[in-house]
Amino acid sequence: MAGKRATINDVASLAGVSIATASKALNGRQDVRAATRERVLAAAAQLSFQPNALARGLLSGQTRTVGLLTSDSVGRFGIPVLLGAEDAFGAGEMAVLLCDARGDAIREQHHLRALLSRRVDGLIVVGESTDPRPSVSKDLPIPVVYAYAPSEDPGDVSFVPDDVGAARMAVGHLLALGRRHIAHITGPSHYKAARDREEGLRSALAAAGVAQAGRTLWGAWSQRWGRHAAEMLLMSEPSIDAVFCGSDQIAAGFVEAARERGRRVPDDIAVIGYDNWEVLSTETRPALTTVDMNLEILGRTAAQHLFAAIDGKATPGIHKMP
């Protein structure tokens, strides 16, 4: 046998069983006697038999490969989701094929055709924002799960962060600290994430019977906007004692500008960010209080539900993750 890879024929011959029985025993099928299974497994171990993935796939109808299609070319939110998904797939010995469409619909169609040609068992589509995206499921013969950006089709399986609940939690934290004049600086109003976070803020303030101090300031997801908004806010609303920022970038810019104006954080103004982007949250002085979207857990959960969908147990709807 030196230099030659053992085949299932070799295993069956050594164990003294048919190829069909050897295959059943190796695949853990129940209709094989325990003594026979032990004999087959012992033969496989003796021969250092490694099942051929392609042959096994042809027999089972599955290739044990999945596609991960992302449009988040920056990777800011997509990469943690992908890492979580890969963790789940690794535990099940699935091979993962990653394709980046870079937000281009034509490139996305090309990747979808390529993944189908490789007979993947299922697909996770990862978005670059929480805005709903067009469904690809109806055109595909395999299960699809959407992560971070939900599908526009409510019949699809989608996993998204609970931005409303998270904002409610963040503002509740500021209220628990005794802050009552809370302002909000966030990203562009056409982003669903920004609108959801503002909704959570208003909900928390209303539940506490506290009026929002000043209007919500909408802008860019950037430190520059955080600095600019701080200058406007500190001039027009000097009684502000807390700010909930829609991203860590905005919060870092706000802290910088507040310090330049002689306002102490958190003594004079408490600041809370969003994303737990450690490049900023741990490097800001003082270190930033922030909301973590648990994106790796979101990715892992999406992968687990893709497993279920491959087994015919899909869980349609938009699932909000804490």
Side-chain angles (χ1 to χ4, degrees):
M1 295 297 294
K4 183 187 168 201
R5 184 169 175 164
T7 67
I8 195 165
N9 301 39
D10 300 321
V11 173
S13 176
L14 183 60
V17 298
S18 69
I19 293 170
T21 299
S23 176
K24 287 177 185 176
L26 291 167
N27 284 309
R29 293 269 296 275
Q30 298 303 309
D31 52 346
V32 179
R33 292 212 318 269
T36 305
R37 176 180 287 106
E38 284 174 22
R39 206 160 69 247
V40 171
L41 293 177
Q46 186 179 329
L47 295 170
S48 302
F49 172 70
Q50 291 290 326
N52 180 296
L54 180 59
R56 190 169 56 191
L58 290 170
L59 286 170
S60 68
Q62 292 186 357
T63 58
R64 300 194 68 73
T65 57
V66 292
L68 281 174
L69 178 64
T70 178
S71 55
D72 181 14
S73 53
V74 178
R76 172 66 200 92
F77 303 110
I79 286 175
V81 174
L82 297 174
L83 290 173
E86 200 167 38
D87 282 348
F89 290 136
E93 296 180 355
M94 299 286 273
V96 181
L97 300 176
L98 173 62
C99 300
D100 183 1
R102 304 179 201 175
D104 182 327
I106 294 172
R107 190 185 292 262
E108 180 174 278
Q109 287 301 314
H110 164 74
H111 285 318
L112 287 171
R113 285 193 297 272
L115 289 167
L116 286 178
S117 73
R118 284 162 175 76
R119 299 180 61 244
V120 294
D121 298 327
L123 178 68
I124 291 185
V125 177
V126 183
E128 61 181 334
S129 78
T130 59
D131 294 358
R133 53 146 296 141
S135 173
V136 296
S137 308
K138 63 182 179 299
D139 302 322
L140 301 181
I142 54 172
V144 182
V145 172
Y146 300 80
Y148 196 66
S151 165
E152 290 173 350
D153 184 345
D156 288 337
V157 183
S158 301
F159 287 87
V160 298
D162 180 6
D163 281 320
V164 176
R168 205 181 290 126
M169 181 175 65
V171 175
H173 175 67
L174 294 172
L175 291 167
L177 295 174
R179 308 297 169 132
R180 290 297 177 269
H181 302 284
I182 301 172
H184 185 40
I185 304 170
T186 193
S189 59
H190 62 266
Y191 270 79
K192 187 175 189 305
R195 297 194 305 275
D196 284 349
R197 290 165 200 178
E198 199 223 7
E199 181 186 332
L201 164 103
R202 285 189 277 107
S203 169
L205 293 176
V210 174
Q212 184 175 340
R215 60 197 166 87
T216 293
L217 298 178
W218 307 90
W221 302 112
S222 70
Q223 285 172 260
R224 180 183 296 177
W225 164 237
R227 288 193 296 271
H228 182 52
E231 288 161 7
M232 291 193 295
L233 192 64
L234 296 176
M235 277 196 298
S236 61
E237 304 281 347
S239 63
I240 292 294
D241 63 4
V243 179
F244 169 42
C245 296
S247 79
D248 290 344
Q249 285 173 287
I250 293 170
F254 181 92
V255 169
E256 189 182 316
R259 187 186 297 116
E260 286 172 1
R261 289 180 163 270
R263 306 293 286 272
R264 294 171 304 162
V265 176
D267 309 62
D268 302 328
I269 301 180
V271 178
I272 189 164
Y274 203 105
D275 296 336
N276 192 22
W277 191 6
E278 291 186 0
V279 171
L280 290 171
S281 61
T282 58
E283 298 302 324
T284 305
R285 289 291 171 265
L288 198 58
T289 299
T290 181
V291 175
D292 191 323
M293 286 187 280
N294 284 330
L295 293 179
E296 285 199 31
I297 292 175
L298 187 149
R300 201 176 309 138
T301 306
Q304 289 161 349
H305 281 256
L306 183 61
F307 280 136
I310 290 169
D311 288 338
K313 305 183 191 100
T315 48
I318 296 177
H319 305 276
K320 292 184 178 178
M321 301 289 291

